[in-house]
Amino acid sequence: MHTVATILRMVVRRSFANRRLLATVVVGVVMSAALMSSVVLYSDAIRDLGLRYALRTADPVERNVRVVASGRPGLPDYATRRETIDNVIRQHTAPVLDELVHYGRSATFYPAEPGQPFPPGDDRPRAHFQFVDQFDAEVRLVEGRQPNAPVGISPPAIEVLMSKEAAGALNIQLGAQFDLHPFWRADVAPVVVTVVGFVEPRDLADVFWFGKTDRFVMDSTGWPTYPFWVPENVVNGTLGTYLQDMDSTVETFGFIDIGAINSRNARQVEDGTRALDTAMREQVSGSTVETQLPEIIGEYRTKLFFTRLPLFALMLQVVGISLYYLVMVATMLIERQQGEIALLRSRGASSRQVIAIYAIEGVILCGAAAIIGPFLARLGISILGYTPPFESLSGNSSLEVPLSRMAFLAALGGAALAFAALLIPAWRAARQTTIDYKHSLARPQTQPLFLRYYMDLVLVGIGAFLFYQLREKGSFVTERLFGELSADPLLLLSPTLFMLMVALVFLRIFPLALRFVAWATHRLDSPTVALGLNRMTRAPMQYSRLSLLLLLATAGGRFAA
């Protein structure tokens, strides 16, 4: 325990002594974790934002569900069919279903004056009974009264409501009576109806009416139509009992709560609503399903797929640049402490013990970065809602960025990469003795190992081949055997590898360019220029690091543009 406390004290003292240069390392570690976390958070935020925008701008009629089925209220299976329709809709839209609304309409009747036969001719008037759930909440009684319960059984006498606009067009007054003759039967007495009230919709444009304007006035036919409103029990009970062979059409509307659809359940909702039509036809014969919700979500997912590909390619470059920055700063820190490391080695410290000091320092920094990174990324992404590209989508407010487990795992991965980037220079320095340290001061390394053995040419060849493949295909997307689109991970890496290829070419050319400049200017009578170029040609790696960082950052910016 005493040894651990001693090591921790040493780590704290060394960190405090190098606090200025270590601050740049801290920035790199935190940015590495934040950038890795931002890949997940930004993707989730864009997914939810785009999905909400696609659903909000879609036609409300298309994003909801409409099921049409016919039946005879006088038969025992009518109620069972109604219940089956409701259950099937709930099963396939349960997570996002807001409510179910039923609209029913009877078969056609021929209206006539009381005691008179209905008029002959194809242009004779028609009438039908209709009902809808939540009628009192969606319709306003403007004149008259609510109907009383039907009187009589064979035939029944029914009080009805009618649209005031339709009544005005048809010249119908309160108290008007009609005999309604079922068109399919001439051997039964007509149903007697009395108009006791006029109504009008509170908002016919409301999605409740599902875009239907013929519930109150029907002016698209070549004959007068009398749409009578009655309670549901009149159609299914009174009329169904009197006319057991009467057909009726029931439309069941499933209103979808678009606020309940998010990126995590969108695929489930899409698959469920897409399978609704098949399931409904299997369980309820003659039924039809109308909804565009799976197409809306599917189109959004396709757009998202193509939108995220360049994003991931860009994030690979940004994370790579941040890791390079971290390696560069860590290498500079280690080079500054290389004399101290050589001193520790000369006093008997092993390579493992030296590395352990840097490992403890890295664990503290990377652990804190893994915790801070997601919150920092969340803050930065949320501010994007105020920028012009997102203003129309976010309503000029901050973006909603939900924190997820994947975000913290990504931050942990970024911190692990940062830890490796910090430890690699320390591992290389810990292997050197005092003699090696003195030798490196006298003769600094001019080329890294992979350049010395021409390993960069292999990477240049791979990058050139992938860049050629990307130019030939023109997209990151490949098509599978059965036509499915997928992202080729190698093609996604091709822009990053091409940037790396250019960077490696720069590392190989930069020392040669320095030598050429030194040779071209050796005749100048300026000792300052000669001394500066001499120092640069003796240790070009120190100067190529910053130039390479600038090159990579510029290339990343050009790719983003």
Side-chain angles (χ1 to χ4, degrees), residues 67-71 78 81 85 248-252 284-288:
V67 179
V68 182
S70 60
Y78 178 80
R81 288 167 62 89
I85 291 173
S248 70
T249 301
V250 177
E251 300 180 14
T252 305
V284 182
S285 60
S287 61
T288 58

Side-chain angles (χ1 to χ4, degrees), residues 275-395:
L276 177 61
D277 185 38
T278 303
M280 191 67 70
R281 284 189 280 106
E282 289 177 351
Q283 300 190 45
V284 182
S285 60
S287 61
T288 58
V289 177
E290 298 176 8
T291 181
Q292 295 297 318
L293 184 60
E295 284 73 20
I296 294 172
I297 297 178
E299 183 180 359
Y300 147 77
R301 291 177 60 249
T302 302
K303 291 180 179 178
L304 179 67
F305 175 78
F306 287 100
T307 302
R308 291 168 65 186
L309 290 180
L311 170 66
F312 282 122
L314 177 62
M315 283 301 178
L316 285 174
Q317 298 174 22
V318 174
V319 172
I321 292 172
S322 67
L323 289 177
Y324 171 75
Y325 163 80
L326 195 58
V327 171
M328 182 188 72
V329 175
T331 302
M332 294 171 63
L333 179 64
I334 295 299
E335 287 178 352
R336 182 174 178 177
Q337 298 173 344
Q338 203 163 4
E340 180 184 346
I341 294 173
L343 181 63
L344 290 174
R345 290 295 310 277
S346 67
R347 296 295 185 269
S350 65
S351 299
R352 291 184 178 180
Q353 290 173 330
V354 173
I355 294 174
I357 296 174
Y358 286 93
I360 294 172
E361 190 177 78
V363 166
I364 295 174
L365 294 179
C366 296
I371 298 174
I372 298 172
F375 296 98
L376 186 62
R378 181 186 185 185
L379 176 62
I381 294 171
S382 64
I383 297 175
L384 291 176
Y386 298 101
T387 59
F390 294 92
E391 188 175 354
S392 60
L393 299 177
S394 63

Side-chain angles (χ1 to χ4, degrees), residues 37-101:
S37 178
S38 67
V39 174
V40 178
L41 292 178
Y42 184 77
S43 177
D44 289 344
I46 290 299
R47 249 184 340 186
D48 288 336
L49 185 65
L51 180 59
R52 286 196 299 270
Y53 180 79
L55 292 172
R56 189 174 66 248
T57 55
D59 189 340
V61 174
E62 295 181 350
R63 72 189 183 209
N64 291 306
V65 178
R66 176 175 179 251
V67 179
V68 182
S70 60
R72 294 183 173 179
L75 298 182
D77 68 336
Y78 178 80
T80 303
R81 288 167 62 89
R82 283 267 313 258
E83 186 178 354
T84 302
I85 291 173
D86 292 355
N87 290 336
V88 173
I89 294 176
R90 290 191 181 99
Q91 289 172 6
H92 288 78
T93 61
V96 296
L97 181 64
D98 188 15
E99 63 176 342
L100 290 175
V101 174

Side-chain angles (χ1 to χ4, degrees), residues 8-23 333 337 357 360-362 364-365:
L8 289 176
R9 267 198 312 272
M10 180 185 297
V11 169
V12 172
R13 288 177 179 175
R14 293 179 70 257
S15 300
F16 184 76
N18 300 280
R19 58 187 179 276
R20 293 184 178 178
L21 193 55
L22 191 62
L333 179 64
Q337 298 173 344
I357 296 174
I360 294 172
E361 190 177 78
I364 295 174
L365 294 179

